[in-house]
Amino acid sequence: MRSSLQESLKQLRLSGLALSLEVRLSEASGNRLDHAEFLELILQDELAVRGSRLIERRVRAASFREARNLDDFDFSFNPSIKRRQIEELATCRFIRDKSDVLLLGPPGVGKSFLAQALGHQAIKSGMLVLYRSVFDLARDFLGEEETPAQQDKALNRYLKPDLLIIDDMGMKQLPRRSGECLLEIIMRRHENRSTMMTSNRPLEDWAKLIGDVPAATAILDRFLQHATIIQITGKSYRLRNVGSSGKGEAGPVAQAGTTKAKKEQEGRRSTADGEGFSPPEGTAAVTPVPSGGARGHTPSQAIL
């Protein structure tokens, strides 16, 4: 390729075309392509490169915690996850309809994986996405040194994307005034943009998590109006490949169970010697929520 042509392509910022031009010239000569066919090919090359770079920029701007793709998700691991329902969400029709999605279930069952994978799919469909955990949300709005102008800028960041993903709802009790911030986000996005949330706590616990019963009621009233609720049960997706290691040695989970059993036995022996014994703490059960749409659900009843 002549240097003058390379320089012209550089000035026009046609880097995709420049990368493939020599191959396309050889292809045009070998297949006797006419001028229109050749021009169409090199323009498609440029558009493909620009599209790929746009997706890369939007993925970075989305601030995903991890790179996730639906093709990598093992649906056979957890039968409670309906593959057809997830694939329907992957069409992004719910985003075009400005509807919402709530993924409910205990920790480790794949909620965050699916939320980020669906967010990535939305980006590939040409949409803007923002991923924030509930910890990020608290930091974004409740910093002691945040000025009103900075808070307005943060709010605009939450309002702009076609899909906002708020992950890990229920992992911690939110600081004071966080309910007000979350309420404003949900109110202003309601029927204007789509929001997806994940939570490991049932809806009746949200008032306690947010620390504001009226705010929690108003949040759920709007968020659930056009929401698809997906209840996921089962064991941890993260530990699906954890098992026994070679030579009869127990894997991490089995070792943890063995250690726990030994401690319980020691506790019983201590009790026999006259010492007090406290049983291991249990895990609170997650109250099931029916899957499907949120019609007929009254948020205030769920909270109270």
Side-chain angles (χ1 to χ4, degrees), residues 5 183 215 298:
L5 177 57
L183 174 59
T298 305

Side-chain angles (χ1 to χ4, degrees), residues 200-211 216 220 284-285 287 302-303:
N200 64 356
R201 300 286 289 275
L203 298 179
E204 54 264 32
D205 287 356
W206 282 33
K208 181 178 179 181
L209 294 169
I210 294 173
L220 289 173
T287 303
I303 294 171

Side-chain angles (χ1 to χ4, degrees), residues 23-243:
V23 174
R24 292 305 189 188
L25 286 170
S26 298
E27 184 178 350
S29 177
N31 296 305
R32 298 182 179 181
L33 300 179
D34 60 33
H35 294 87
E37 291 172 328
F38 173 70
L39 180 61
E40 183 179 2
L41 282 175
I42 60 175
L43 290 179
Q44 286 177 348
D45 291 338
E46 178 63 32
L47 289 173
V49 169
R50 291 191 180 194
S52 177
R53 290 175 178 170
L54 177 61
I55 289 175
E56 290 176 0
R57 290 196 300 271
R58 288 185 173 180
V59 167
R60 288 195 299 270
S63 301
F64 293 122
R65 186 164 54 199
E66 300 166 303
R68 296 302 192 186
N69 193 301
L70 277 181
D71 293 336
D72 300 325
F73 190 79
D74 183 8
F75 284 93
S76 65
F77 175 79
N78 193 338
S80 74
I81 301 175
K82 299 177 182 178
R83 183 168 189 161
R84 183 174 296 181
Q85 188 176 33
I86 300 301
E87 289 176 345
E88 168 61 25
L89 293 176
T91 67
C92 300
R93 185 179 292 113
F94 79 97
I95 302 177
R96 290 186 284 271
D97 292 341
K98 300 176 176 57
S99 300
D100 303 318
V101 176
L102 175 61
L103 300 171
L104 283 173
V109 294
K111 302 184 302 298
S112 295
F113 189 121
L114 290 173
Q116 291 178 95
L118 290 169
H120 191 270
Q121 187 64 35
I123 290 176
K124 290 195 291 185
S125 298
M127 300 173 180
L128 294 175
V129 176
L130 176 63
Y131 170 90
R132 305 301 282 165
S133 73
V134 71
F135 308 101
D136 297 324
L137 186 148
R139 285 193 297 267
D140 290 343
F141 289 97
L142 302 178
E144 295 181 356
E145 298 179 359
E146 291 289 321
T147 65
Q150 290 173 322
Q151 290 185 348
D152 288 342
K153 184 178 179 180
L155 179 61
N156 288 333
R157 185 187 180 197
Y158 278 74
L159 299 180
K160 182 178 179 180
D162 302 294
L163 175 63
L164 170 65
I165 302 172
I166 300 177
D167 200 5
D168 298 325
M169 186 69 180
M171 292 296 288
K172 65 174 290 186
Q173 186 169 354
L174 297 178
R176 291 183 59 189
R177 297 194 305 107
S178 56
E180 300 173 12
C181 301
L182 183 57
L183 174 59
E184 184 170 7
I185 292 169
I186 297 300
M187 286 183 61
R188 296 182 63 171
R189 291 185 63 85
H190 180 58
E191 297 184 335
N192 291 309
R193 297 284 192 276
S194 291
T195 303
M196 179 181 294
M197 299 180 73
T198 75
S199 177
N200 64 356
R201 300 286 289 275
L203 298 179
E204 54 264 32
D205 287 356
W206 282 33
K208 181 178 179 181
L209 294 169
I210 294 173
D212 187 332
V213 173
T217 303
I219 288 169
L220 289 173
D221 181 61
R222 289 163 176 80
F223 180 67
L224 296 179
Q225 182 179 0
H226 305 297
T228 296
I229 302 176
I230 299 177
Q231 177 75 49
I232 303 176
T233 58
K235 51 188 177 180
S236 174
Y237 183 81
R238 297 186 186 96
L239 302 180
R240 66 194 182 282
N241 295 322
V242 176

